[in-house]
Amino acid sequence: MTDLFISYSRRDLEFVQRLYNELKSRDRDIWIDLEDIPPTAAWLAEIYAGIENANAFVFVISPDSAVSEVCRLEIEYAVKHSKKLVPILHREVEERARLHSSLASHNWLFFRENDDFERAFRLLNEALDTDLDHVRAHTRLLVRALEWDNRQRDNSFILRGTDLVEAETWLAASMDKTPEPTQLHTQYIFASRQAETARQRVLLIAVTSALIIAVALAVIAFIQWREADAARQQASSAQGTAVAALISVNDTRATAQAQEDTFRATIRALGQEARAEVAALDAEDAPVPAPPTTQIAQALPTQTAVIYSPDEDNDITPGGLDMSTSLPDTGGGIDPGAALLVSVADYQLADTDAEHIQAQNALVGLVQINPNAARRMLTGHNGPVQSVAYNPAGSLLASGGDDNTVIVWDSISWARVGLPFYGHNASVTDVAWSPDGTIIASSSRDGTVILWDVAAGSAVRQLSDRSTNWVLSLAYSPEGTTLLSSGSDPVVKAWDTRTGQITRTYEGLSGTTYAVAYSPDGRRVAAGDSYGLVIVWDAASGAEISRLAAHQGAVFTLAYSPDGRTLASGGADSLALLWDATSGELLHTLTGAANVILSVAYSPDSAILAVGTAENVVRLYDVASGQLIGDAYRGYGDWVYSVAYHPAGQYLASGSSDGSIVVWPVGIEQWLREACTLAGRTLTSEEWAQFFPGQPYQDVCPPR
């Protein structure tokens, strides 16, 4: 890439030569045609390539360049590819109508004979360096997009991995910057995401197989550990056979250790296989790989059988997985459901907080990786679902999507309530309920906010100040009279919902403001921008309270905990952070994500944080410790844009770019109930005696 391309008329060669020499003395890399070569197809292709690879397009304005056919071709090509235009006036043009129309919308730098050359040259350098990272990314992605386009959009030229994530972040942050992304930029990045999703679906075969094996091995390891613990207790109570019992304990522990070693080795092998498959897919358009059943089978006990059932799209078919036959029988009449039931009993018998947390993690992990785990999938949007939110009573769920609509769902029957709300001219980016549950506010990329009367199903007010191209995030004040909005400009606006007027603004951020949040007591406002900064203001005065600067990329999501003690943020750097809401101290960095964090939501008791990611999963974290709870909620075809807890805490709704809304049962009571449902029975007295010797029998899954 070069720093700039200079377009000029040959009659201005003396001035351009001086300008060129001055720029070269500042170590600028310049593309300029100093030779008087007649235009040919090859020459013009070289000119166009020079424009494509330049970060800026400098046009020397003069009467001759205004009428030059070559200069016209050059500037039209630069405008077509949305290059950064820097017009410099060398000689006055009396007939301004002859100039290309794009020059009128840019500030000119004056290099006329009577102008101060040094001052103008300093301004030129400042213009070239303005927003340089954005401009360089624009050029780099344009060059790659053109190569992809020129090669008939061959998928071997698309973006992958970190390059794709960075490009998507750049595209999202470019809405308010110059030069703007071209249509080709957008098509290239979107095509790359689609191809990446297709590759992930191929890998889902191996990954899902690995999960099934993980369930099998986890059950074996869990039961073996349980048997070792039972043997230990028997040894301590049977003093007359202490030696024999200890030998039994050691043998069983050795078996459990060997099983754990096998488990870890198998998972490591699966990881290596998956990475090898990714590398192969990245290198060329490889055929869909067969699941690694041969290698897996060799690593498993002989009594284990894995059932693999692909559908026409090479995805695992959940209905084709019968956990009663795909998991091993460990002998002695113990079936895989016992692991779920023992985890339920462990939680019920736990005495300390630490024991409860340990038992909960085991329980959640076994439930999450079970392909038959309950979930509700809602479909109705024609495109990605950008936002979901429960009403305060928990009886309704609102969703907004790229089809420009808001849909309301009954959270009991999961039927749609009335017709979708139509009124926006672009994607609905966020939905928020008024505290009394009568109004839904929706924001859109059309630059407006609409307040909808839920009962009437109609719009009651539209909010717009015409200074924001896109509105991306909303937050109601606790009393409902103020609505915050943020979007493509760095200013957070507070609207009076009764009058539709802006009552206050909160400033200090830069670029796009993706997320905004009100503290539960209404005293503080927080917002995050495209440069990774979060600012907290006093809601009443607008005074800045603190700056939270730990993210290394755009902050896409923010949420205050219901108890007001913590603030969660997530962004393009794949990090979710927990902050002390009062002091601004960073409490925890939540690890585990390998892609962009798009959404966060607290459980009603503030104990758990749900995190939606561009990895197509939702993870749960313990807020107090910052530790991951269980595994991850899977089953999404694409990014998880939004997550929302039911006010009672028993459900977690999520909206995905695959167009679906998935509702999961969550919370300890739901997990206990789900474990019992998956097991389909309760522990027998014989199993209880095996796993809990000396404890009085209890029915862990009584009829409800």
Side-chain angles (χ1 to χ4, degrees):
M1 294 188 299
T2 58
D3 293 321
L4 66 153
F5 179 103
I6 300 179
S7 177
Y8 70 103
S9 165
R10 300 293 175 186
R11 292 177 181 266
D12 299 311
L13 180 59
E14 182 179 351
F15 162 73
V16 171
Q17 186 71 62
R18 179 188 178 188
L19 181 65
Y20 172 81
N21 292 336
E22 291 290 342
L23 288 166
K24 289 295 288 185
S25 70
R26 303 306 198 275
D27 294 324
R28 296 285 185 184
D29 191 5
I30 309 158
W31 203 105
I32 184 171
D33 178 20
L34 294 174
E35 299 179 10
D36 190 10
I37 302 174
T40 64
W43 171 84
L44 191 59
E46 187 177 350
I47 290 290
Y48 286 166
I51 295 172
E52 293 166 5
N53 283 275
N55 291 328
F57 180 88
V58 175
F59 189 85
V60 179
I61 301 173
S62 72
D64 297 291
S65 66
V67 297
S68 167
E69 178 64 17
V70 172
C71 289
R72 183 186 65 80
L73 290 173
E74 291 173 344
I75 193 169
E76 285 182 351
Y77 195 76
V79 170
K80 174 185 176 182
H81 294 297
S82 191
K83 304 303 293 187
K84 180 176 185 175
L85 296 185
V86 183
I88 62 176
L89 178 63
H90 175 53
R91 290 186 289 137
E92 291 287 355
V93 179
E94 293 183 3
E95 297 183 53
R96 292 289 178 93
R98 290 180 174 270
L99 293 172
H100 195 278
S101 59
S102 63
L103 296 172
S105 60
H106 292 74
N107 293 324
W108 294 5
L109 300 177
F110 297 99
F111 280 85
R112 296 165 298 191
E113 287 188 4
N114 58 337
D115 290 319
D116 184 342
F117 183 92
E118 294 301 326
R119 179 178 180 278
F121 186 74
R122 185 176 68 254
L123 293 175
L124 172 60
N125 278 282
E126 290 175 0
L128 293 175
D129 290 334
T130 299
D131 217 352
L132 193 55
D133 288 342
H134 167 75
V135 174
R136 285 173 173 166
H138 185 286
T139 303
R140 182 177 65 255
L141 291 170
L142 175 64
V143 170
R144 295 189 64 173
L146 285 167
E147 182 181 28
W148 167 73
D149 194 47
N150 292 334
R151 298 296 185 94
Q152 287 73 52
R153 305 200 168 190
D154 187 332
N155 276 353
S156 62
F157 293 92
I158 61 170
L159 299 164
R160 293 185 173 94
T162 303
D163 281 347
L164 175 56
V165 174
E166 290 177 351
E168 289 170 327
T169 302
W170 172 83
L171 183 64
S174 297
M175 66 187 76
D176 57 346
K177 295 184 179 181
T178 302
E180 296 178 351
T182 64
Q183 185 178 12
L184 183 61
H185 275 107
T186 303
Q187 292 172 348
Y188 179 52
I189 293 171
F190 282 4
S192 296
R193 171 50 59 189
Q194 289 174 341
E196 180 74 8
T197 300
R199 281 199 304 278
Q200 289 174 352
R201 294 181 66 196
V202 170
L203 291 175
L204 184 60
I205 299 170
V207 171
T208 307
S209 297
L211 285 177
I212 297 170
I213 302 307
V215 174
L217 293 170
V219 170
I220 295 170
F222 187 82
I223 293 174
Q224 293 282 6
W225 176 84
R226 266 304 186 178
E227 290 175 345
D229 190 59
R232 178 188 59 77
Q233 295 186 37
Q234 289 172 352
S236 63
S237 61
Q239 297 179 2
T241 58
V243 175
L246 286 173
I247 292 174
S248 174
V249 170
N250 290 333
D251 289 344
T252 309
R253 284 178 174 168
T255 303
Q257 183 62 51
Q259 186 65 62
E260 182 179 355
D261 292 343
T262 301
F263 171 76
R264 295 182 182 278
T266 302
I267 296 305
R268 282 196 298 271
L270 286 170
Q272 291 168 356
E273 287 184 28
R275 285 191 291 273
E277 287 166 10
V278 172
L281 288 169
D282 285 344
E284 59 182 347
D285 290 331
V288 176
T293 51
T294 302
Q295 298 92 324
I296 293 173
Q298 292 174 350
L300 289 177
T302 56
Q303 66 269 33
T304 301
V306 176
I307 291 180
Y308 171 77
S309 176
D311 64 11
E312 294 178 354
D313 293 323
N314 296 317
D315 286 337
I316 293 297
T317 305
L321 298 174
D322 181 355
M323 295 306 292
S324 66
T325 56
S326 64
L327 293 180
D329 181 349
T330 59
I334 301 173
D335 68 70
L340 286 164
L341 298 172
V342 170
S343 69
V344 171
D346 270 341
Y347 184 85
Q348 295 172 344
L349 295 174
D351 293 323
T352 67
D353 289 342
E355 289 175 348
H356 272 114
I357 292 174
Q358 184 177 9
Q360 175 182 273
N361 284 342
L363 170 66
V364 175
L366 289 172
V367 169
Q368 286 173 325
I369 62 177
N370 191 308
N372 295 322
R375 62 172 177 165
R376 168 74 65 172
M377 181 173 289
L378 311 178
T379 56
H381 284 284
N382 184 23
V385 178
Q386 296 279 350
S387 181
V388 292
Y390 280 100
N391 69 340
S395 57
L396 300 172
L397 177 73
S399 60
D402 278 6
D403 56 1
N404 309 350
T405 69
V406 175
I407 297 177
V408 180
W409 310 82
D410 185 298
S411 67
I412 303 299
S413 66
W414 297 115
R416 279 189 284 183
V417 179
L419 297 174
F421 295 167
Y422 293 95
H424 288 293
N425 297 317
S427 301
V428 175
T429 55
D430 200 9
V431 291
W433 289 84
S434 62
D436 63 5
T438 61
I439 300 292
I440 296 175
S442 60
S443 59
S444 172
R445 293 183 187 274
D446 64 9
T448 68
V449 176
I450 297 179
L451 304 183
W452 305 90
D453 184 306
V454 180
S458 59
V460 295
R461 180 167 284 112
Q462 184 179 88
L463 311 178
S464 176
D465 68 343
R466 302 184 183 279
S467 68
T468 304
N469 294 326
W470 294 1
V471 185
L472 301 173
S473 183
L474 300 171
Y476 263 105
S477 62
E479 79 285 351
T481 58
T482 301
L483 180 69
L484 298 175
S485 70
S486 68
S488 57
D489 61 344
V491 179
V492 175
K493 301 173 181 67
W495 302 83
D496 187 315
T497 57
R498 298 160 296 188
T499 65
Q501 300 299 308
I502 296 176
T503 58
R504 182 173 298 284
T505 58
Y506 303 91
E507 302 182 16
L509 295 170
S510 302
T512 302
T513 309
Y514 287 103
V516 66
Y518 247 123
S519 63
D521 60 7
R523 296 181 179 180
R524 296 190 177 197
V525 169
D529 68 15
S530 54
Y531 293 95
L533 178 64
V534 176
I535 295 182
V536 180
W537 296 271
D538 181 276
S541 68
E544 188 176 304
I545 296 175
S546 59
R547 291 188 167 221
L548 313 180
H551 283 287
Q552 301 302 311
V555 177
F556 290 134
T557 179
L558 283 173
Y560 274 100
S561 61
D563 62 11
R565 295 181 178 179
T566 60
L567 173 69
S569 61
D573 55 5
S574 306
L575 295 179
L577 305 179
L578 286 175
W579 308 84
D580 185 297
T582 302
S583 67
E585 175 189 359
L586 179 60
L587 300 175
H588 297 295
T589 298
L590 308 183
T591 59
N595 210 327
V596 177
I597 304 296
L598 298 169
S599 51
V600 295
Y602 282 92
S603 60
D605 61 2
S606 302
I608 297 174
L609 184 74
V611 176
T613 77
E615 300 170 278
N616 312 349
V617 302
V618 174
R619 290 185 175 85
L620 302 182
Y621 292 88
D622 178 75
V623 173
S625 66
Q627 297 300 305
L628 181 67
I629 298 175
D631 186 60
Y633 286 105
R634 306 176 189 274
Y636 302 92
D638 216 327
W639 294 10
V640 182
Y641 277 127
S642 181
V643 288
Y645 263 98
H646 186 277
Q650 75 262 39
Y651 296 110
L652 179 70
S654 52
S656 170
S657 56
D658 66 5
S660 69
I661 300 168
V662 180
V663 183
W664 299 95
V666 293
I668 189 60
E669 291 302 321
Q670 294 284 73
W671 289 321
L672 292 169
R673 186 179 300 114
E674 182 67 7
C676 290
T677 300
L678 291 170
R681 62 182 185 84
T682 190
L683 282 174
T684 66
S685 57
E686 292 79 9
E687 290 171 328
W688 183 272
Q690 179 183 357
F691 293 118
F692 303 98
Q695 294 274 8
Y697 175 80
Q698 65 182 52
D699 188 350
V700 297
C701 296
R704 294 181 180 275

